[in-house]
Amino acid sequence: MQITHEQARRLIQLNADQSLYPSEKYQLSAHLKDCSACHDYAEEINELEGVLRPIMKRLWGQTPLPLSIHDLRVRSYAKRQSSLILATRSALIGAVCLAFLFSAWQFMRFGGDMSGPLQVGVSAVPLPATHSTNTASLFESCGAMHYTVQETDTLESIAHQFGISQDELIVFNQMRTQRVSTGMTLMVPTCNFTPTSTLGPSLFTETYIPLGSPTTSTPGSY
Amino acid sequence: MKVFTSSRVNPVEGMTVTNPSWLISECIAGNEVAIEMFVRQYETSVFRLALSIVGDSAEANEITQETFLSALRSLPKYEEKRSLKAWLYTIALNYSRSHLRKRKILERLKTTLTGIFQLEAQKQASPEDAMITNEKEAAVWTSLNELDERYRIVIILRYFHELSIAEIAEILGISEGTIHSRLHNAREKLRNALNHLHGE
């Protein structure tokens, strides 16, 4: 089969790459016998290759300085080990930082909260029956006391004495009226309580009842 | 093909490894004899590849050392489906190109400073010029250096390192068709340079 000049030149190039099929070699050979232009082209490519190879060999055909094998081995494995050490160290530092951040977060979240789960319940100090002076004890947690109404007492005066509102007394004792009678016993709620006046020993029962305690009886009588 | 035998006093000299898997695993294990075999087998080829790109033997020696250091460190990651020679050549080519880039930056800086301070630029004859013996070689050499890097490298790998088209394709990571195309274009330019010399 006849090939064109362009096809012949392409085959000449592929021949220089040693990539011709046998059938293509045959076609090219046949064309070059009859085509002087393509024959000259093939000669030019051969001449070029004849100049290229020796000049490259002359310029770059040197031998290298021999490498030190021991040095290569030490440096390549030292690098591998140092990479491993660096990776381990980075992982440890990362873990320590994470632990520190977590602890800081926990402290900020729970550290200032005195009523949190770690706090120990503070038991209220019961008020002894004999003390009743200006230095009456303070109750740190809420509770209730029994108070016996005196002759001159009113709901307002009792509330004032205990530093609470009349409404608190009414609600606490589930009173239907504001009337109090002499000898009546009222339950007085006490949270951080400091009595405003001297109270007689008979005014208080000996029992301090913490709010919510199963022993808390129904508040006062009315 | 010579085969390694343990009975020799210096088993490495003149040896060619026939089992790359054994060589690689022994090099990874730190066997100094295996490392020597690996290095000596490819040392000259790697050096000549570096030299053909950077053109300076001191730099080429440095690149050879960097290539083997990198290869020994990366051996655990080497995939055996690739040819060991092509893998090594790829590493050497990358280091060579890196050195060339740095050199070009320095040369540009030097040119700028020369211009700023109006210094007289000293034209130094390159050592290669002394190796050119005739006009034809001079024409081809000049034309080769003027080629774009992607054409120049395929000519060097084909005609100096005598690698096959498949090997060149593997090293450069491009198709064989592209390699053929680049070789054709490069030869055309070099042929034209010769023709100009003939006055055609």
Side-chain angles (χ1 to χ4, degrees):
Chain A
M1 183 180 122
Q2 291 284 336
I3 56 174
T4 63
H5 297 302
E6 198 179 320
Q7 283 172 325
R9 290 189 175 203
R10 186 179 154 270
L11 290 180
I12 290 165
Q13 291 278 2
L14 284 172
N15 188 45
D17 295 340
Q18 293 174 338
S19 302
L20 273 188
Y21 293 115
S23 59
E24 288 174 327
K25 276 188 185 175
Y26 178 78
Q27 281 179 325
L28 179 62
S29 179
H31 180 87
L32 291 178
K33 275 182 192 167
D34 299 327
C35 178
S36 59
C38 292
H39 185 267
D40 291 344
Y41 182 83
E43 285 295 318
E44 284 165 9
I45 297 295
N46 284 338
E47 185 189 11
L48 170 64
E49 291 181 331
V51 172
L52 260 179
R53 286 196 172 98
I55 191 176
M56 286 179 177
K57 199 173 174 182
R58 206 181 313 134
L59 285 166
W60 302 321
Q62 303 166 41
T63 49
L65 294 171
L67 293 170
S68 160
I69 303 300
H70 178 71
D71 196 42
L72 267 179
R73 182 182 170 277
V74 166
R75 284 176 67 185
S76 63
Y77 288 92
K79 175 77 177 178
R80 209 189 288 177
Q81 278 180 355
S82 71
S83 299
L84 190 63
I85 290 166
L86 186 65
T88 310
R89 198 186 299 167
S90 303
L92 277 172
I93 290 169
V96 166
C97 286
L98 274 173
F100 176 75
L101 283 169
F102 182 73
S103 305
W105 175 68
Q106 285 282 333
F107 178 76
M108 280 169 66
R109 198 175 160 197
F110 298 113
D113 185 359
M114 298 303 289
S115 62
L118 292 176
Q119 187 181 339
V120 176
V122 177
S123 58
V125 176
L127 188 65
T130 55
H131 84 265
S132 307
T133 61
N134 288 336
T135 58
S137 60
L138 280 168
F139 292 91
E140 291 180 358
S141 61
C142 287
M145 291 191 306
H146 292 286
Y147 174 73
T148 306
V149 176
Q150 300 300 299
E151 197 174 324
T152 56
D153 282 339
T154 62
L155 195 69
E156 188 185 349
S157 66
I158 295 167
H160 178 69
Q161 278 178 8
F162 288 99
I164 58 176
S165 66
Q166 291 180 56
D167 290 337
E168 279 179 85
L169 267 176
I170 290 167
V171 168
F172 205 70
N173 291 278
Q174 295 182 9
M175 294 167 73
R176 290 188 186 144
T177 67
Q178 292 185 357
R179 274 188 65 198
V180 293
S181 53
T182 309
M184 182 181 177
T185 305
L186 288 175
M187 293 288 289
V188 180
T190 53
C191 293
N192 294 326
F193 161 66
T194 303
T196 56
S197 60
T198 302
L199 299 169
S202 61
L203 296 174
F204 297 97
T205 62
E206 294 181 0
T207 310
Y208 166 76
I209 303 165
L211 290 175
S213 156
T215 60
T216 304
S217 58
T218 52
S221 55
Y222 34 71
Chain B
M1 188 181 289
K2 292 180 185 177
V3 176
F4 170 71
T5 53
S6 58
S7 58
R8 290 201 180 187
V9 174
N10 184 4
V12 176
E13 196 176 326
M15 286 299 160
T16 305
V17 176
T18 56
N19 185 357
S21 298
W22 169 85
L23 181 70
I24 290 159
S25 57
E26 288 297 309
C27 285
I28 292 170
N31 182 333
E32 213 160 293
V33 172
I35 291 171
E36 188 167 6
M37 288 178 74
F38 172 61
V39 170
R40 298 296 176 231
Q41 184 165 351
Y42 298 109
E43 192 177 27
T44 304
S45 319
V46 166
F47 169 78
R48 286 175 179 171
L49 174 63
L51 184 61
S52 62
I53 294 167
V54 299
D56 178 73
S57 56
E59 257 189 280
N61 276 310
E62 202 181 309
I63 292 165
T64 309
Q65 189 175 54
E66 286 170 5
T67 301
F68 280 104
L69 264 175
S70 176
L72 287 169
R73 285 169 194 156
S74 311
L75 265 180
K77 289 181 263 180
Y78 166 72
E79 292 168 352
E80 289 201 20
K81 61 183 179 187
R82 281 196 77 179
S83 138
L84 188 60
K85 183 178 171 186
W87 179 71
L88 206 52
Y89 271 39
T90 307
I91 298 171
L93 194 61
N94 288 336
Y95 275 113
S96 303
R97 282 169 168 165
S98 171
H99 273 249
L100 210 58
R101 269 195 300 272
K102 283 178 197 166
R103 193 207 289 170
K104 280 183 180 168
I105 290 168
L106 281 171
E107 279 173 6
R108 250 182 255 140
L109 182 64
K110 194 176 165 186
T111 309
T112 307
L113 288 172
T114 306
I116 289 171
F117 295 105
Q118 296 178 335
L119 299 170
E120 198 176 310
Q122 294 173 348
K123 190 175 161 69
Q124 293 173 341
S126 69
E128 288 100 5
D129 294 342
M131 303 262 189
I132 308 296
T133 56
N134 57 53
E135 281 181 335
K136 280 185 187 176
E137 286 183 355
V140 168
W141 177 245
T142 305
S143 184
L144 181 67
N145 286 328
E146 285 170 2
L147 283 179
D148 191 70
E149 198 267 342
R150 58 197 164 138
Y151 297 116
R152 188 171 182 271
I153 189 67
V154 293
I155 290 286
I156 290 170
L157 292 175
R158 179 81 187 127
Y159 287 102
F160 178 58
H161 298 282
E162 294 185 351
L163 299 176
S164 67
I165 302 300
E167 284 175 321
I168 298 172
E170 192 182 349
I171 289 164
L172 298 179
I174 50 181
S175 68
E176 289 188 23
T178 308
I179 303 292
H180 283 300
S181 170
R182 288 185 186 179
L183 280 169
H184 298 179
N185 286 331
R187 277 191 213 109
E188 277 302 302
K189 288 183 175 143
L190 296 174
R191 190 185 70 89
N192 287 335
L194 265 183
N195 285 343
H196 278 129
L197 192 66
H198 294 319
E200 290 179 16

